[in-house]
Amino acid sequence: MYVDSKQFVRALTASALITLFAVPQGLFAQAPEHLVSPSDLQKATVEASRARQQNVDTLNAFFSSEKAQRALKSAQMNPEQVRTAVAGLSDSELAQLASRANKAQGDFAAGRLTDRDLLIILVAVAALILIIVAVH
């Protein structure tokens, strides 16, 4: 029996392609070591969300104090507008401003700042927030 070489090559190629496409790709490729697992990604997302919410809460508490309300009104700033603008900040901006707010409150509680100093810091932070949001 005579076998045509072209027909044999075609049959062999067709068999190889059928095998290649019929077998699931997961059998050939193992997940690389550098990929992040879905559970790690979910944990990181939850942690980032928690940190963001904590920073928003810190700034809202800072601007909700009675002294802050008075300072904002004396600077002719709308406290609600400032609170709304806080939510529009990026995560890094929120982290920086929350850190500054915590430091200012700590310094004030320790007696290192006077009421006037705290009011100046508060108005400056509020103005900075409004400027950042306006630029975005």
Side-chain angles (χ1 to χ4, degrees), residues 116-130:
R116 182 176 176 270
D117 295 335
L118 183 63
L119 296 178
I120 291 170
I121 291 170
L122 185 112
V123 170
V125 169
L128 183 63
I129 289 171
L130 294 175

Side-chain angles (χ1 to χ4, degrees), residues 8-25:
F8 177 73
V9 170
R10 285 181 192 154
L12 187 60
T13 304
S15 298
L17 288 174
I18 289 171
T19 304
L20 181 67
F21 290 118
V23 176
Q25 294 295 321

Side-chain angles (χ1 to χ4, degrees), residues 102-116:
N102 281 334
K103 183 180 182 320
Q105 285 178 329
D107 288 347
F108 181 72
R112 290 189 286 265
L113 292 177
T114 64
D115 284 345
R116 182 176 176 270

